[in-house]
Amino acid sequence: MNKVMTSLGIALAVTAAASGLGFGSVAQADDADYPPDAYVVQSGGDIRIRLTSDRPPAGKTVVRVRPKDGDEVVAEVGGFGDWECVTELDDDCSLLRTESGPLVLKDMGMYLLNVVLDKGSAKEKEYPEAGPAFPYAINPRFTSLVSSTPVLSYEHRSGKAYGTLVAEHPRTHEVKPLADAPVHLFRGSYWGSNLIESLTTDSAGRFAALFQYEAGRPKPGLQVTLSTDSGPYNILAERKLELGLRATPVKLTVREPAAGIVGRYGSKVPVRGTMTWTASDGTVRPLAGVRVDAYTEGCPEDQLCGESRGSDAAGGFDVPYSVTRDEYARVEMERFGASGWFTGDLATRLSVDATHTTAFSPLKVSADQNRTITVGGRLAVQQGSAPAGAKATVNVQMSADGKTGWKTVKSFTTAFGTDFSQQLKHTPEQDGHYVRLRYAGTADIGPAAPVVQLTRRTTQIVRDNLAPEGIRAGTSITASGVLQQKSGTAWLPLAGQKVRVYFKADAPGSAWTYQGAATTAANGSFSTKVTARSDGAWQIRYLDATAPYYVAIGREDHVDVV
């Protein structure tokens, strides 16, 4: 833009139709099907009328100004300057504008703009309300916003909001009430705002409207804004009022079940009771229309762990609770429903006793030094029984962290209440992983998934070597190396362990044979003499691994004899 424009203190809405008119060769419309849009701006300290269009009219254009609530023309404004391009795309101008000289009116107030095209010719035509109503005023502001109920309670949730809007006369700067101005009254809270009513100020700049709150909306308050469609938004044209809250005594009473929730896995047990509140005169009355939650105790607020129902006209509630395991349930007025409106017995705690759940009891999970996992035990139905002859599919699963990435490595079928024992191998990469036995359950028999971590430690033989080489048959050579155990991400020496030395001759059909042993020192090192009788491969093995260690196999080291 060529000019910096400041606010009149009012909202501005400009619409323009697009055309492919090129900037620099602005065409003029001989027959305009619609007039330019007209609105006011504050430019260079003066109030001016601005016209915008996708094509400027050909004849003389004037704007007639009349009061919003009358037909008398109080000013006729012409003298618009040259049209300039506002929006340009690919050298085509889609929106142009022009401005009048300063607008001078006698009285402050709300006005409308009528655009007259081809003034003084036979084709003269007047277009009423060619733009939004505007206030001939500056610095509009609300001097007051008052509530007849400054402190809300459940008993007193409604009231009357009223206030006054004033502004300054653009020429005299006299502060006077702004009459006939459109204002919006909003009922606000922490959850946001919603419009109560669109109002118009009276001759004294006053407005009033009734409001009512639903109990439970946190941080209630009122807001009023000047809502004209002309002029940029001005923060001085709004006002807010925070309303207080007085908490009302409330009591939540669970009538059944009286001694805790007992139910079969997968069932829904109704939790019934009443909500009441105490009025200022001491009478106890039904609390209708509030939400009551029944959910698992400890459930995060961003998760759904239960159900909710509203209280009826008598304050009664009936909320189903889904039974899945032994736990505790909380029954309470909706957690976001109190919000300062209520106080007292808003919640209660109930024990949950789930029948027809399952467990692996007893359960044994172990891994030997050769990485063979043995799982054994019995799948039992607790506080109930399975149908006669019923069988269950059990998945043996493994996970690196015991929480995510569970993968089934074996499945088997077992009868309820019957002992089972299953074996499977795991890889060195799965050392320290977690194992769980998972029974998925049915619609009315609960699942089970106990988790056990493999605790044996990984071992390795490093710097293992047979030397010297190229010796005569029958010569002694030294088998040496270091035995280590893994602890976290570190490798530590493993002392006091027996390692064995094996040999396999190069001759076809030869087998590995035991040649000797050594015991590791404090630093995990070992060394022993063996006799080289022929060409072949040597290998050092940690096979006598005791709990909690896995076996380790060293590299094959070939030795030639001459």
Side-chain angles (χ1 to χ4, degrees):
M1 293 186 179
N2 296 332
K3 299 179 181 179
V4 177
M5 295 172 292
T6 57
S7 165
L8 257 183
I10 24 193
L12 170 61
V14 180
T15 59
S19 76
L21 198 60
F23 179 60
S25 55
V26 177
Q28 292 185 327
D30 292 330
D31 267 327
D33 296 328
Y34 49 85
D37 291 317
Y39 56 97
V40 295
V41 296
Q42 187 172 344
S43 176
D46 295 317
I47 295 178
R48 301 171 186 267
I49 298 174
R50 176 174 291 172
L51 303 180
T52 60
S53 178
D54 65 338
R55 52 180 180 171
K60 182 179 179 182
T61 301
V62 297
V63 175
R64 291 171 181 160
V65 182
R66 63 177 179 83
K68 179 183 174 183
D69 58 352
D71 296 325
E72 177 188 3
V73 175
V74 296
E76 184 172 289
V77 180
F80 289 94
D82 294 334
W83 290 83
E84 60 178 346
C85 184
V86 178
T87 303
E88 184 177 357
L89 181 63
D90 297 331
D91 295 328
D92 287 332
C93 191
S94 59
L95 183 64
L96 300 102
R97 73 182 181 191
T98 184
E99 285 184 8
S100 72
L103 174 63
V104 177
L105 300 177
K106 177 182 177 182
D107 296 321
M108 186 178 78
M110 297 296 299
Y111 292 89
L112 294 172
L113 302 175
N114 293 2
V115 173
V116 180
L117 299 183
D118 298 307
K119 164 74 173 175
S121 72
K123 296 190 297 181
E124 178 178 321
K125 185 174 181 180
E126 183 170 348
Y127 294 86
E129 300 182 25
F134 73 95
Y136 183 70
I138 59 175
N139 298 326
R141 56 191 180 274
F142 294 95
T143 58
S144 63
L145 175 60
V146 181
S147 169
S148 63
T149 311
V151 179
L152 302 176
S153 66
Y154 181 74
E155 192 170 3
H156 301 288
R157 305 191 299 277
S158 60
K160 183 177 183 180
Y162 51 93
T164 303
L165 175 65
V166 301
E168 295 180 26
H169 193 289
R171 292 187 295 108
T172 66
H173 297 286
E174 180 184 3
V175 177
K176 300 172 59 177
L178 185 56
D180 205 26
V183 296
H184 287 165
L185 182 64
F186 295 88
R187 178 186 59 191
S189 73
Y190 178 78
W191 296 338
S193 300
N194 59 328
L195 180 65
I196 299 176
E197 195 170 347
S198 295
L199 309 168
T200 301
T201 57
D202 62 14
S203 59
R206 297 172 299 191
F207 59 88
L210 300 177
F211 69 88
Q212 181 165 335
Y213 268 86
E214 296 84 21
R217 293 179 67 92
K219 297 183 179 179
L222 300 172
Q223 179 181 3
V224 63
T225 64
L226 176 63
S227 59
T228 59
D229 295 325
S230 184
Y233 178 78
N234 188 326
I235 194 65
L236 294 178
E238 74 168 17
R239 192 178 181 107
K240 296 180 180 180
L241 174 65
E242 293 185 2
L243 300 176
L245 277 178
R246 181 181 298 111
T248 297
V250 166
K251 185 174 184 180
L252 181 150
T253 304
V254 173
R255 303 200 180 280
E256 59 175 294
I261 298 171
V262 179
R264 180 166 182 156
Y265 170 85
S267 66
K268 290 191 175 184
V269 176
V271 178
R272 300 186 176 100
T274 56
M275 295 292 303
T276 57
W277 66 283
T278 303
S280 57
D281 61 4
T283 59
V284 177
R285 305 177 186 181
L287 182 59
V290 297
R291 305 296 294 180
V292 177
D293 298 331
Y295 64 94
T296 302
E297 187 175 73
C299 175
E301 291 190 0
D302 59 349
Q303 294 183 18
L304 183 63
C305 305
E307 296 194 39
S308 176
R309 296 290 187 273
S311 59
D312 59 24
F317 60 83
D318 187 337
V319 187
Y321 185 84
S322 297
V323 178
T324 59
R325 61 181 181 271
D326 293 347
E327 57 192 5
Y328 285 94
R330 283 190 66 81
V331 182
E332 69 179 16
M333 176 186 289
E334 187 177 30
R335 282 178 280 183
F336 300 110
S339 302
W341 286 79
F342 301 108
T343 187
D345 299 329
L346 307 180
T348 190
R349 186 185 196 223
L350 298 175
S351 63
V352 180
D353 185 7
T355 68
H356 294 79
T357 58
T358 57
F360 290 96
S361 178
L363 173 66
K364 181 179 180 181
V365 178
S366 62
D368 66 15
Q369 70 270 32
N370 296 310
R371 294 185 172 85
T372 298
I373 300 173
T374 301
V375 295
R378 183 185 304 122
L379 179 60
V381 178
Q382 299 178 315
Q383 291 184 266
S385 61
K391 293 187 176 182
T393 297
V394 177
N395 294 323
V396 183
Q397 300 179 323
M398 296 190 73
S399 163
D401 61 5
K403 299 177 181 178
T404 60
W406 289 103
K407 294 183 179 179
T408 299
V409 293
K410 185 173 184 177
S411 297
F412 63 92
T413 301
T414 184
F416 287 97
T418 302
D419 290 339
F420 63 81
S421 181
Q422 298 285 322
Q423 288 188 328
L424 64 149
K425 295 283 286 186
H426 75 86
T427 66
E429 291 74 23
Q430 293 172 316
D431 291 353
H433 280 203
Y434 293 80
V435 178
R436 77 175 179 185
L437 273 64
R438 183 176 184 272
Y439 165 60
T442 64
D444 57 0
I445 296 180
V451 178
V452 177
Q453 186 178 16
L454 300 177
T455 57
R456 279 187 177 265
R457 298 181 185 178
T458 306
T459 61
Q460 67 177 6
I461 298 172
V462 296
R463 299 195 292 277
D464 43 334
N465 188 40
L466 276 293
E469 298 187 22
I471 42 82
R472 291 183 181 276
T475 302
S476 292
I477 59 176
T478 300
S480 62
V482 177
L483 180 63
Q484 296 177 329
Q485 60 171 315
K486 192 173 185 180
S487 178
T489 59
W491 288 96
L492 305 177
L494 182 53
Q497 303 296 307
K498 180 181 179 180
V499 294
R500 302 185 181 208
V501 183
Y502 288 81
F503 171 75
K504 184 173 71 171
D506 287 347
S510 298
W512 288 100
T513 59
Y514 173 75
Q515 299 295 312
T519 300
T520 58
N523 62 357
S525 65
F526 57 86
S527 177
T528 187
K529 296 287 186 178
V530 293
T531 302
R533 294 181 174 84
S534 62
D535 295 346
W538 295 81
Q539 189 176 61
I540 303 171
R541 302 174 183 176
Y542 173 47
L543 300 179
D544 301 287
T546 58
Y549 306 112
Y550 288 112
V551 300
I553 307 298
R555 67 186 183 92
E556 292 186 18
D557 188 2
H558 195 275
V559 176
D560 294 326
V561 299
V562 296

